[in-house]
Each structure stands twice: as C-alpha cells, then as structure tokens.
Amino acid sequence: MTDPWGLETRAPGSVLLVGCGKLGARLGERLIAQGAEVTAMRRHASDLPFPTIEADLRHPLDRELPAYDSVVITLPPSTEGDSIYPPALRGLADALPAMPSRVVFVSSTRVFEGRPGETPLTERDAPRVSSERGGDLLEGEQLAMELFGARIVRPAGIYGPGRDFLIRRVTEGAAVDHSRRTNRIHETDLVRLLEAMLRADSAPPLIHAVDTEPVLLGDVVSHLARRLGVEPPPHLDPEVGGGTVLDGHLLREFLGALEYPTFREGYDEMIAAR
C-alpha cells in the first residue's frame, strides 16, 4: 500500500517544545523514548525529563537560541490583556539562528465558534470567530504560517487522564447545556498526531484533531452518569444550544484508527481508573 504522507520518513531530530504544558510534556516523553533530542521552553522550569529554557515569550528573548530541526508551539491564548502570539512568535523567529525544517502550531477548533450548526465542517471551511480568544487563535495561526510556514493542528476539547472536568461536573450534579453540539479528542490520540506531524514527509498543512463522533453534550453527560451510578445532571435553564459539528476524516486518513474513536472508550477508561 502506498503512503501518500511519507509517514515515518522524517526524523524529528532536535525538537523545541514551546509552551510545553501537559500536552507538550507528554509529546516530549514520547519523542525521547524514541531517541529524539527534546528541549522545552516555558515560563518556569519544572520537573520535566528533558532540558528547559526559562523564558516569558510576552517579552523579547534575551539570548539567541540554538538551532532546532523541529518546533512544536503549544502556547494557549492569553486569558487577559493583549494576545501573546505576536510578541511570542516574532520573538521566537528572531531568536532562532535558522528556520526549522518543520514547525507545528497547535490551535483550536474554537476558530469555528462563529459558525455553529449541524453541517460538518472540514479543513476546507473558512473559520469564523466570535470572541477575543478565538480571534487571538486565528491570529496565531496566520502568524505561525507567515513566519515559519507552520503546519496547523486544531484540536477539539481535549480530555484524558488528569483532564476530568466533565466527570467532576456530572459527579457534582452541576447543570449543563444538554443541547450543545460538541467535539473532542483524547490526549493520547492528539499526542500521536503531533508526533506524526513531525515524522511525515508531507504532513497536511492543516488538520482537525477530532474523534469519530460529534455528539450532543447531553448524550455525553448521560453516559457518564450511567457509568458513575448517579443521576444525569440537570438541564441548564435556559439552554442555548449552539456548537459545531467537525469532520475528522482527514485525521483518520493521516493517522489511521484512533485509540479512542469516541468519548465512550476514553471516559469509560478514566472512570474505571478512579
């Protein structure tokens, strides 16, 4: 069988993980286990199994960085004040002595928040935002492509071990909007995707990280309640619905079968481990 993406063709080489929160740390551990050289860049050093460059990318870097073969940017948008992306991405570009051969920018499916509906949205559909955070993400995508020729990964709601917000909401009996359309991706499959984006010779320029089943939030919380042995959470009053349906065919063409194809496999495993 031919491999149009050239998977496993490219070695990640030396990798800089910019931001490097929980997602970056898991990716770094996976890459190191396979022999890659990994460095994190984050505001505060922490107990990571690879070197860390302490830097606050809201401000110009005070040093030139080493050259890296690959860069993965997992900076979240700012929660207050100006967007972090213009100073961070421009500062990073100025500090790198040479252009990495592969840059991946992790965005979010939030860039579609301004076009809710039941029609599945693909990578060919134009994003539309309705909030400042969504606008910051879209600006980050555009800058990353302009400065680095970056590939863009847009994850939906990330869940997995340590990401149990929805389980806690159901346990607490907090009201939720049962009518809202939702999409999600298990952290394990997202990490697999990011590694594949580094290793593929012809990685897609843009890809949505979503599992195989967009679903109403009410269906998810009802399933969780059954598994937890509690009453389904009450409906938010009033319910506003909304949300998008995102198509994940390109992800499955590129990555193959997901380890957690729907929310059921992922959340059932998390509940069993409680």
Side-chain angles (χ1 to χ4, degrees), residues 62-148:
D62 59 3
R63 76 198 87 170
E64 183 176 275
L65 297 172
Y68 293 95
D69 300 306
S70 305
V71 174
V72 180
I73 301 167
T74 57
L75 288 169
S78 303
T79 55
E80 56 183 32
D82 296 333
S83 170
I84 192 174
Y85 295 122
L89 297 182
R90 291 189 177 115
L92 183 63
D94 289 343
L96 288 169
M99 182 66 69
S101 60
R102 178 64 48 84
V103 177
V104 178
F105 179 85
V106 180
S107 178
S108 167
T109 55
R110 186 169 187 159
V111 298
F112 288 108
E113 65 190 357
R115 49 183 310 173
E118 297 180 0
T119 302
L121 299 170
T122 75
E123 288 80 359
R124 295 184 297 275
D125 289 297
R128 185 184 305 151
V129 299
S130 59
S131 71
E132 185 175 357
R133 281 172 67 84
D136 289 349
L137 282 162
L138 195 55
E139 179 184 42
E141 289 185 5
Q142 293 164 346
L143 268 174
M145 289 186 287
E146 175 186 319
L147 294 171
F148 301 104

Side-chain angles (χ1 to χ4, degrees), residues 90-233:
R90 291 189 177 115
L92 183 63
D94 289 343
L96 288 169
M99 182 66 69
S101 60
R102 178 64 48 84
V103 177
V104 178
F105 179 85
V106 180
S107 178
S108 167
T109 55
R110 186 169 187 159
V111 298
F112 288 108
E113 65 190 357
R115 49 183 310 173
E118 297 180 0
T119 302
L121 299 170
T122 75
E123 288 80 359
R124 295 184 297 275
D125 289 297
R128 185 184 305 151
V129 299
S130 59
S131 71
E132 185 175 357
R133 281 172 67 84
D136 289 349
L137 282 162
L138 195 55
E139 179 184 42
E141 289 185 5
Q142 293 164 346
L143 268 174
M145 289 186 287
E146 175 186 319
L147 294 171
F148 301 104
R151 266 79 166 176
I152 308 299
V153 174
R154 292 174 178 160
I158 307 169
Y159 76 107
R163 299 179 184 268
D164 59 351
F165 171 77
L166 198 54
I167 292 175
R168 287 185 281 111
R169 294 280 290 177
V170 172
T171 303
E172 295 162 1
V176 301
D177 190 340
H178 286 240
S179 64
R180 184 167 183 80
R181 291 177 287 271
T182 66
N183 306 264
R184 55 191 45 76
I185 187 73
H186 195 283
E187 185 180 72
T188 294
D189 285 316
L190 179 54
V191 169
R192 290 177 57 222
L193 170 61
L194 294 177
E195 182 194 9
M197 293 292 285
L198 296 180
R199 292 189 178 279
D201 183 53
S202 300
L206 169 65
I207 192 164
H208 293 166
V210 294
D211 68 19
T212 65
E213 189 174 335
V215 67
L216 293 177
L217 183 57
D219 294 338
V220 181
V221 296
S222 295
H223 176 85
L224 295 183
R226 286 193 298 273
R227 290 290 188 265
L228 291 164
V230 299
E231 290 296 315

